[in-house]
Amino acid sequence: MSSYNIPKMQKKLKKELDEERFIHTEGVMYTAAALAMCHDEDIERACVAGLLHDCAKCFSNTQKIRLSESYRIPISSIERDAPHLLHAKLGACIARDKYGVEDSEILSAISCHTTGKPDMTLLEKIIFVADYIEPRRAKAPNLARIRHLAFSDLDLAVYMTLRDTIAYLKEKKAPLDNQSLIAYNYYKNFIGETED
Ligand code: FE
Ligand code: FE
C-alpha cells in the first residue's frame, strides 16, 4: 500500500528549499531508492526519507532555534553556536507535522542523517550514506570508493563516511557534534578496524 503522495511533497519542498538544496534532495531521494533496491529496504520509505531529510535546512538560524525550542528539542551549546546542526532533528519534526509522516523509522533516519549514530537501522544507514554520495556531491575524498562500497558493504561505507566527514570538519575547524564521534567509534569497532 502506497501511503505517500511523493509529487505533492516535492511540490511543497520546492517552495521551502533553495534551488541547489532541492536538486541535492532529489539526488538523495534517487540514491536512497537505488540503495533500497540493492539492500532490500522498502523503496517508498527510502524515497520519502531521502526527499525530506533536509526539509528544515533552509530556515534561517533564528528560525531553526525558535522552531527547535517550540518542538522542545534539547539544544546543546554546540548547536546553539551552529544552528545549522539542528536541521536534522528539526527536519524530523517538520516531516511529521508538515508532511504527515508517521513512520518512526523514516523520522529517525531524517533525525540522524547529519551525525549518524551507533547501530543504525538499514534505512538510517541508507539515508546517511545517500546524503554523502548523491551524484551532485563532487568534492569529498574517497568518493568513488564509498559510492562503490555503498552497494557492496554498507557498514564499511558508513564507517568511511563518518571517518572522512569528521576529518573534514576537524581540518576546517568546523563545529563537530559529539554524536558523530560516538557513531564513528561504534562503526570503527563494528567493522573491526580491518580498514582504515
Ligand atoms: Fe542535511
Ligand atoms: Fe543533505
Side-chain angles (χ1 to χ4, degrees), residues 114-115 120 125 128-129 132-133 140-169 180 183-196:
T114 309
T115 58
M120 284 186 270
K125 288 188 268 197
F128 180 71
V129 170
Y132 197 74
I133 66 168
N142 306 310
L143 203 46
R145 173 125 197 269
I146 297 175
R147 280 180 169 143
H148 186 86
L149 282 171
F151 292 87
S152 58
D153 188 342
L154 187 58
D155 288 310
L156 188 52
V158 166
Y159 165 73
M160 288 184 67
T161 300
L162 284 163
R163 186 197 65 183
D164 291 357
T165 301
I166 290 168
Y168 171 77
L169 293 173
S180 301
Y184 169 72
N185 285 324
Y186 175 89
Y187 278 96
K188 188 176 180 178
N189 234 328
F190 185 83
I191 62 144
E193 301 167 75
T194 50
E195 293 279 331
D196 188 55

Side-chain angles (χ1 to χ4, degrees), residues 8 107 111 130 143:
K8 196 175 163 197
L107 297 176
S111 183
L143 203 46

